[in-house]
Amino acid sequence: MVKKHTVCVWLLLSILLTVSQMLHAQQTLTLEDCRTRAIEGNKQIQIKLAEQKLAKETRQSTRMLYLPKLNLQGAYLRTNEELSLLNDDQKAMFGNMGTSLSGTLQQNVPNLITSLAQQGIITPAQAQGLAQMAGQSLPQLQQSLNQLGEEVVDAFRTDSRNLMVGSVNLTQPLYTGGKISAANKMADLNEELSATQIELTEDELVKKTDEAYWLVVSLRHKERLATSYRDLLQHLDEDVQKMIREGVATKADGLSVSVKLNEAEMTLTQVENGLVLSRMALCQLCGMPVDSQITLVDEQKEDLEDSGETPVASIEQVWENRPELKILRTARQITDQKVRMAKADYIPTLALTAGYTLTNPNLLNGFQKRFGGIWHVGALLSMPLSNIWENRPKVAAARTQGNIYDLKREDAESLIGLQVRQNEFRLSESRKKLKMTEKNIASADENLRSANLGFSEGVFTATTVMEAQTAWLKAKSQQIDAQIDVRLAISELSKSMGL
């Protein structure tokens, strides 16, 4: 007994779990849900979003053009010869300075001593002592002076075969003829253009999603209609078969009803297959697995009544809202900035410069083998000359491109205005058709009721009933088409107005 109770509990839990999974797997979606899923899962929109991110990063990079540029550089050079501040003759002169001076003294000192003795300034004994002293001192003086000359030559050596240089430089643009501001404005416009392109792609995707959504709804309602029509024929077939057995109807009547019933079964199968395929197409648009179990809110409604919604916007608002016109206006503004940039190429530019430079050997202190540095600050003015005539064609080309965008925009405004008017007429016509189908439905219902009543009383034949049923099916089908057409017309009118 306990074992049976345990099995029943497990069986109940399994059933509840299965039902829960089925309920969880079944999703009910509104039109807005489908639109949102389609936009979030669309690869083209994801690409456009990546392009928008790229445009934003480019804009942020362009903002940096206002900031100063800071450069750090370093270099090492090894040369086979060093820089020399003295030429070879000067080096030889300093190296032989003592020898040259000693020779001159040897020639002139004895004559000077003799002249002093003759004039009585010194005695002969003093003259002899001076001559002896000069003879002893001149060699030492020659050696000392030669050594001093060599030291001078060594002091002028640069030893620059190993040269190390480092520098840090800062450049701050002060005036660039408007090129930097034009580049930033273009970056802003490109980011705006990317956002508008996303909007245009979303509009096109929403239109496809709406069409797929209402196709599913239409086929679901037609499936119900086809099922009702088949049930009517099945009931008629049963009645005719009874009448054949009772001898009040012929086999031909039975065959006619059977053919119609088979046609109804075939039509129902076609509608069911179309419904499955349309659901798969909608799931694919929404970025869901094609075998997802989804139910649409509007397909559960018994009647798709006209919401009475009518999008309204002035033609100026339409031109302002439509992404196609936004793209053309933005492209026109970009060409204006291209004109500014082309003009800036032949306008003088001014920049502030500052920096610090290190060298080893130290160029500032006798080529010492240590680092020495110097700072500098100044202004840089640049005046291009050849660009004046080179850039004129660029300016003219940019202006021509802008004129082309103006013409495209004017043409697009005219076409969009016509499109809005056509969609307004389409919505009005769809609503008129819907009202006509409602009247036809009332007539078809009454006709079918009368035919069924007459058939039951033996006044009408089965053929008359089938004709009434066919008329009823046609009226119902036309009503569904009209209801869906109204919904699509509203969607199309709203899109054409940019709402």
Side-chain angles (χ1 to χ4, degrees):
M1 185 73 178
V2 174
K3 195 169 184 179
K4 275 187 179 183
H5 179 71
T6 303
V7 170
C8 290
V9 170
W10 278 109
L11 182 60
L12 180 61
L13 289 175
S14 299
I15 294 173
L16 291 175
L17 180 61
T18 303
V19 171
S20 176
Q21 290 176 344
M22 290 177 63
L23 292 175
H24 180 71
Q26 187 78 18
Q27 301 181 66
T28 301
L29 303 177
T30 64
L31 178 59
E32 285 300 323
D33 292 335
C34 293
R35 289 175 175 177
T36 302
R37 287 173 177 268
I39 291 172
E40 290 176 351
N42 186 263
K43 297 299 181 183
Q44 289 299 319
I45 292 181
Q46 292 176 7
I47 292 172
K48 295 294 182 183
L49 288 172
E51 291 175 350
Q52 184 185 29
K53 183 180 178 183
L54 176 61
K56 180 179 179 180
E57 293 167 348
T58 302
R59 175 182 57 79
Q60 293 173 345
S61 175
T62 308
R63 291 289 189 272
M64 300 300 173
L65 295 175
Y66 288 113
L67 302 179
K69 302 295 186 296
L70 188 63
N71 295 319
L72 180 65
Q73 294 178 327
Y76 168 79
L77 294 176
R78 169 69 182 178
T79 60
N80 64 332
E81 296 288 345
E82 66 180 35
L83 298 175
S84 179
L85 300 179
L86 300 175
N87 58 36
D88 293 340
D89 292 338
Q90 290 171 332
K91 291 178 182 178
M93 181 188 69
F94 279 109
N96 297 313
M97 181 173 59
T99 302
S100 300
L101 183 59
S102 176
T104 302
L105 290 176
Q106 285 177 355
Q107 293 176 1
N108 296 323
V109 167
N111 294 333
L112 178 61
I113 293 172
T114 301
S115 176
L116 292 173
Q118 290 176 352
Q119 294 176 10
I121 298 174
I122 59 174
T123 64
Q126 291 174 334
Q128 185 178 0
L130 288 173
Q132 185 178 2
M133 185 183 299
Q136 293 176 352
S137 301
L138 284 176
Q140 294 177 358
L141 179 61
Q142 176 183 348
Q143 183 179 0
S144 297
L145 291 176
N146 284 342
Q147 185 177 356
L148 178 61
E150 291 293 337
E151 290 176 358
V152 171
V153 172
D154 289 339
F156 274 97
R157 285 193 61 190
T158 61
D159 193 16
S160 59
R161 288 172 296 176
N162 294 294
L163 179 62
M164 289 175 283
V165 181
S167 67
V168 57
N169 295 289
L170 181 142
T171 303
Q172 172 63 59
L174 301 178
Y175 177 72
T176 59
K179 181 178 289 187
I180 294 179
S181 60
N184 276 276
K185 183 62 176 176
M186 284 181 64
D188 293 340
L189 292 171
N190 280 323
E191 186 177 3
E192 181 181 336
L193 184 63
S194 298
T196 308
Q197 288 173 339
I198 292 174
E199 182 183 350
L200 178 60
T201 305
E202 288 179 352
D203 285 349
E204 294 173 350
L205 183 60
V206 165
K207 178 183 177 183
K208 292 180 180 179
T209 305
D210 287 1
E211 291 173 350
Y213 179 92
W214 291 115
L215 177 60
V216 173
V217 173
S218 173
L219 290 174
R220 180 69 181 99
H221 281 77
K222 287 187 176 181
E223 181 188 35
R224 292 176 185 168
L225 179 61
T227 302
S228 299
Y229 179 62
R230 181 204 58 187
D231 293 343
L232 288 175
L233 285 172
Q234 284 180 342
H235 183 70
L236 179 62
D237 183 60
E238 292 173 358
D239 290 342
V240 170
Q241 294 301 324
K242 289 179 182 178
M243 294 174 68
I244 291 174
R245 287 194 294 271
E246 293 174 2
V248 293
T250 63
K251 290 185 178 180
D253 294 331
L255 290 175
S256 298
V257 175
S258 296
V259 169
K260 276 290 184 181
L261 179 59
N262 291 336
E263 290 177 355
E265 292 283 359
M266 181 61 67
T267 300
L268 178 60
T269 301
Q270 290 173 345
V271 172
E272 289 173 345
N273 292 338
L275 180 59
V276 172
L277 293 176
S278 63
R279 284 189 196 279
M280 293 173 65
L282 180 60
C283 289
Q284 192 274 333
L285 272 175
C286 294
M288 303 167 62
V290 294
D291 57 349
S292 298
Q293 300 298 315
I294 63 171
T295 301
L296 306 183
V297 171
D298 288 288
E299 72 176 276
Q300 298 174 340
K301 296 179 180 179
E302 291 298 328
D303 189 20
L304 298 174
E305 296 180 355
D306 183 6
S307 63
E309 175 189 358
T310 302
V312 178
S314 66
I315 192 63
E316 290 78 12
Q317 291 175 324
V318 172
W319 290 342
E320 184 67 25
N321 295 338
R322 284 294 290 265
E324 298 92 334
L325 295 178
K326 289 181 183 178
I327 289 173
L328 291 173
R329 286 195 297 268
T330 304
R332 178 65 173 90
Q333 293 174 336
I334 290 175
T335 59
D336 291 340
Q337 300 308 314
K338 287 182 178 180
V339 171
R340 288 185 61 195
M341 293 192 70
K343 286 183 176 180
D345 285 338
Y346 52 79
I347 295 177
T349 60
L350 180 64
L352 175 68
T353 63
Y356 189 81
T357 302
L358 285 171
T359 63
N360 188 348
N362 187 350
L363 302 179
L364 306 175
N365 194 16
F367 287 89
Q368 286 180 312
K369 298 299 291 182
R370 64 179 62 181
F371 281 99
I374 185 174
W375 62 267
H376 62 86
V377 62
L380 177 63
L381 179 66
S382 176
M383 176 61 185
L385 297 178
S386 62
N387 287 355
I388 294 177
W389 55 84
E390 289 178 357
N391 280 10
R392 284 181 178 174
K394 292 182 181 179
V395 174
R399 285 175 174 166
T400 302
Q401 186 66 50
N403 294 333
I404 292 173
Y405 283 126
D406 285 338
L407 293 172
K408 287 183 176 180
R409 178 180 53 79
E410 292 173 2
D411 184 51
E413 286 177 351
S414 176
L415 293 175
I416 286 172
L418 177 61
Q419 184 185 54
V420 170
R421 296 292 291 172
Q422 288 175 337
N423 288 328
E424 287 174 343
F425 283 125
R426 176 188 171 187
L427 178 57
S428 177
E429 184 179 357
S430 298
R431 282 177 168 156
K432 289 179 181 178
K433 287 183 179 179
L434 179 58
K435 290 181 179 180
M436 291 176 61
T437 59
E438 291 172 354
K439 294 179 180 179
N440 293 338
I441 286 291
S443 299
D445 287 340
E446 178 60 26
N447 187 34
L448 181 59
R449 188 191 68 80
S450 299
N452 287 329
L453 181 61
F455 180 73
S456 62
E457 294 178 356
V459 177
F460 294 146
T461 63
T463 302
T464 303
V465 175
M466 287 189 294
E467 289 176 352
Q469 290 174 344
T470 302
W472 174 84
L473 174 66
K474 182 178 179 182
K476 284 284 188 179
S477 180
Q478 288 176 345
Q479 183 187 38
I480 293 173
D481 290 338
Q483 290 170 339
I484 296 299
D485 195 43
V486 168
R487 298 300 182 99
L488 289 175
I490 293 173
S491 176
E492 188 65 26
L493 179 58
S494 178
K495 177 183 177 299
S496 66
M497 289 182 173
L499 301 177

